[in-house]
mmCIF file of all heavy atoms in Angstrom:
data_model
loop_
_atom_site.group_PDB
_atom_site.id
_atom_site.type_symbol
_atom_site.label_atom_id
_atom_site.label_comp_id
_atom_site.label_asym_id
_atom_site.label_seq_id
_atom_site.Cartn_x
_atom_site.Cartn_y
_atom_site.Cartn_z
ATOM 1 N N ALA S 153 -28.438 -5.085 15.560
ATOM 2 C CA ALA S 153 -29.198 -4.471 14.435
ATOM 3 C C ALA S 153 -29.129 -2.938 14.477
ATOM 4 O O ALA S 153 -29.109 -2.360 15.547
ATOM 5 C CB ALA S 153 -30.692 -4.953 14.586
ATOM 6 N N TYR S 154 -29.115 -2.355 13.263
ATOM 7 C CA TYR S 154 -29.083 -0.898 13.225
ATOM 8 C C TYR S 154 -30.481 -0.330 13.657
ATOM 9 O O TYR S 154 -31.548 -0.856 13.243
ATOM 10 C CB TYR S 154 -28.825 -0.464 11.795
ATOM 11 C CG TYR S 154 -27.386 -0.433 11.416
ATOM 12 C CD1 TYR S 154 -26.489 -1.391 11.940
ATOM 13 C CD2 TYR S 154 -26.826 0.464 10.505
ATOM 14 C CE1 TYR S 154 -25.129 -1.411 11.609
ATOM 15 C CE2 TYR S 154 -25.496 0.500 10.236
ATOM 16 C CZ TYR S 154 -24.578 -0.411 10.746
ATOM 17 O OH TYR S 154 -23.300 -0.398 10.398
ATOM 18 N N SER S 155 -30.437 0.775 14.413
ATOM 19 C CA SER S 155 -31.662 1.368 14.907
ATOM 20 C C SER S 155 -31.406 2.871 15.177
ATOM 21 O O SER S 155 -31.539 3.317 16.322
ATOM 22 C CB SER S 155 -32.151 0.671 16.160
ATOM 23 O OG SER S 155 -33.319 1.249 16.584
ATOM 24 N N PRO S 156 -31.022 3.667 14.199
ATOM 25 C CA PRO S 156 -30.597 5.057 14.449
ATOM 26 C C PRO S 156 -31.729 5.954 14.884
ATOM 27 O O PRO S 156 -32.868 5.723 14.363
ATOM 28 C CB PRO S 156 -29.957 5.444 13.108
ATOM 29 C CG PRO S 156 -30.685 4.592 12.091
ATOM 30 C CD PRO S 156 -30.916 3.296 12.764
ATOM 31 N N ASN S 157 -31.511 6.875 15.695
ATOM 32 C CA ASN S 157 -32.577 7.792 16.165
ATOM 33 C C ASN S 157 -32.430 9.259 15.828
ATOM 34 O O ASN S 157 -33.384 10.044 15.940
ATOM 35 C CB ASN S 157 -32.611 7.686 17.750
ATOM 36 C CG ASN S 157 -33.109 6.312 18.169
ATOM 37 O OD1 ASN S 157 -34.014 5.822 17.592
ATOM 38 N ND2 ASN S 157 -32.408 5.717 19.124
ATOM 39 N N SER S 158 -31.248 9.718 15.467
ATOM 40 C CA SER S 158 -31.044 11.187 15.096
ATOM 41 C C SER S 158 -30.775 11.250 13.632
ATOM 42 O O SER S 158 -30.436 10.303 12.945
ATOM 43 C CB SER S 158 -29.813 11.732 15.819
ATOM 44 O OG SER S 158 -28.625 11.201 15.332
ATOM 45 N N PRO S 159 -31.095 12.483 13.002
ATOM 46 C CA PRO S 159 -30.712 12.624 11.617
ATOM 47 C C PRO S 159 -29.259 12.262 11.346
ATOM 48 O O PRO S 159 -28.928 11.663 10.286
ATOM 49 C CB PRO S 159 -30.986 14.129 11.368
ATOM 50 C CG PRO S 159 -32.090 14.459 12.432
ATOM 51 C CD PRO S 159 -31.733 13.646 13.607
ATOM 52 N N TYR S 160 -28.369 12.634 12.251
ATOM 53 C CA TYR S 160 -26.926 12.261 12.094
ATOM 54 C C TYR S 160 -26.820 10.728 11.989
ATOM 55 O O TYR S 160 -26.258 10.252 11.000
ATOM 56 C CB TYR S 160 -26.100 12.810 13.266
ATOM 57 C CG TYR S 160 -24.748 12.210 13.422
ATOM 58 C CD1 TYR S 160 -23.810 12.311 12.336
ATOM 59 C CD2 TYR S 160 -24.372 11.380 14.421
ATOM 60 C CE1 TYR S 160 -22.514 11.737 12.432
ATOM 61 C CE2 TYR S 160 -23.103 10.790 14.564
ATOM 62 C CZ TYR S 160 -22.192 10.966 13.520
ATOM 63 O OH TYR S 160 -20.966 10.361 13.630
ATOM 64 N N SER S 161 -27.265 10.040 12.987
ATOM 65 C CA SER S 161 -26.992 8.563 13.008
ATOM 66 C C SER S 161 -27.758 7.855 11.874
ATOM 67 O O SER S 161 -27.273 6.895 11.303
ATOM 68 C CB SER S 161 -27.396 8.015 14.367
ATOM 69 O OG SER S 161 -28.654 8.243 14.758
ATOM 70 N N ALA S 162 -28.923 8.440 11.428
ATOM 71 C CA ALA S 162 -29.639 7.817 10.371
ATOM 72 C C ALA S 162 -28.854 8.014 9.113
ATOM 73 O O ALA S 162 -28.766 7.047 8.264
ATOM 74 C CB ALA S 162 -31.046 8.495 10.225
ATOM 75 N N SER S 163 -28.195 9.158 8.887
ATOM 76 C CA SER S 163 -27.455 9.407 7.663
ATOM 77 C C SER S 163 -26.200 8.528 7.701
ATOM 78 O O SER S 163 -25.734 8.051 6.604
ATOM 79 C CB SER S 163 -27.086 10.855 7.522
ATOM 80 O OG SER S 163 -26.199 11.313 8.566
ATOM 81 N N LYS S 164 -25.602 8.334 8.866
ATOM 82 C CA LYS S 164 -24.415 7.424 8.906
ATOM 83 C C LYS S 164 -24.812 6.007 8.657
ATOM 84 O O LYS S 164 -24.108 5.237 7.962
ATOM 85 C CB LYS S 164 -23.696 7.555 10.290
ATOM 86 C CG LYS S 164 -22.937 8.873 10.527
ATOM 87 C CD LYS S 164 -21.819 9.133 9.514
ATOM 88 C CE LYS S 164 -20.630 8.189 9.771
ATOM 89 N NZ LYS S 164 -19.424 8.622 8.951
ATOM 90 N N ALA S 165 -26.006 5.605 9.202
ATOM 91 C CA ALA S 165 -26.449 4.232 8.998
ATOM 92 C C ALA S 165 -26.621 3.975 7.474
ATOM 93 O O ALA S 165 -26.283 2.960 6.955
ATOM 94 C CB ALA S 165 -27.726 4.003 9.778
ATOM 95 N N ALA S 166 -27.262 5.021 6.839
ATOM 96 C CA ALA S 166 -27.543 4.888 5.392
ATOM 97 C C ALA S 166 -26.201 4.681 4.642
ATOM 98 O O ALA S 166 -26.038 3.859 3.754
ATOM 99 C CB ALA S 166 -28.257 6.149 4.890
ATOM 100 N N SER S 167 -25.214 5.468 5.062
ATOM 101 C CA SER S 167 -23.906 5.310 4.392
ATOM 102 C C SER S 167 -23.234 3.991 4.638
ATOM 103 O O SER S 167 -22.681 3.443 3.715
ATOM 104 C CB SER S 167 -22.956 6.497 4.769
ATOM 105 O OG SER S 167 -22.602 6.423 6.126
ATOM 106 N N ASP S 168 -23.379 3.498 5.847
ATOM 107 C CA ASP S 168 -22.891 2.135 6.116
ATOM 108 C C ASP S 168 -23.498 1.066 5.201
ATOM 109 O O ASP S 168 -22.824 0.225 4.608
ATOM 110 C CB ASP S 168 -23.099 1.669 7.577
ATOM 111 C CG ASP S 168 -22.354 2.518 8.668
ATOM 112 O OD1 ASP S 168 -21.796 3.563 8.220
ATOM 113 O OD2 ASP S 168 -22.353 2.055 9.796
ATOM 114 N N HIS S 169 -24.786 1.204 5.037
ATOM 115 C CA HIS S 169 -25.570 0.269 4.216
ATOM 116 C C HIS S 169 -25.099 0.385 2.709
ATOM 117 O O HIS S 169 -24.996 -0.609 2.047
ATOM 118 C CB HIS S 169 -27.069 0.516 4.276
ATOM 119 C CG HIS S 169 -27.615 0.150 5.608
ATOM 120 N ND1 HIS S 169 -27.296 -0.993 6.271
ATOM 121 C CD2 HIS S 169 -28.577 0.813 6.359
ATOM 122 C CE1 HIS S 169 -27.959 -1.027 7.410
ATOM 123 N NE2 HIS S 169 -28.811 0.026 7.523
ATOM 124 N N LEU S 170 -24.885 1.603 2.290
ATOM 125 C CA LEU S 170 -24.364 1.770 0.903
ATOM 126 C C LEU S 170 -22.992 1.047 0.731
ATOM 127 O O LEU S 170 -22.792 0.342 -0.272
ATOM 128 C CB LEU S 170 -24.297 3.233 0.571
ATOM 129 C CG LEU S 170 -25.570 4.043 0.446
ATOM 130 C CD1 LEU S 170 -25.287 5.547 0.165
ATOM 131 C CD2 LEU S 170 -26.434 3.488 -0.682
ATOM 132 N N VAL S 171 -22.141 1.263 1.653
ATOM 133 C CA VAL S 171 -20.792 0.715 1.543
ATOM 134 C C VAL S 171 -20.915 -0.772 1.538
ATOM 135 O O VAL S 171 -20.284 -1.504 0.672
ATOM 136 C CB VAL S 171 -19.892 1.218 2.706
ATOM 137 C CG1 VAL S 171 -18.568 0.500 2.686
ATOM 138 C CG2 VAL S 171 -19.685 2.692 2.632
ATOM 139 N N GLN S 172 -21.726 -1.357 2.470
ATOM 140 C CA GLN S 172 -21.931 -2.812 2.538
ATOM 141 C C GLN S 172 -22.458 -3.279 1.164
ATOM 142 O O GLN S 172 -21.970 -4.326 0.639
ATOM 143 C CB GLN S 172 -22.954 -3.089 3.610
ATOM 144 C CG GLN S 172 -23.404 -4.510 3.746
ATOM 145 C CD GLN S 172 -22.339 -5.355 4.445
ATOM 146 O OE1 GLN S 172 -21.441 -4.810 5.134
ATOM 147 N NE2 GLN S 172 -22.414 -6.656 4.281
#
Side-chain angles (χ1 to χ4, degrees):
Y154 277 34
S155 180
N157 292 316
S158 72
Y160 164 64
S161 55
S163 68
K164 288 297 291 188
S167 67
D168 292 14
H169 290 320
L170 292 176
V171 174
Q172 175 79 18

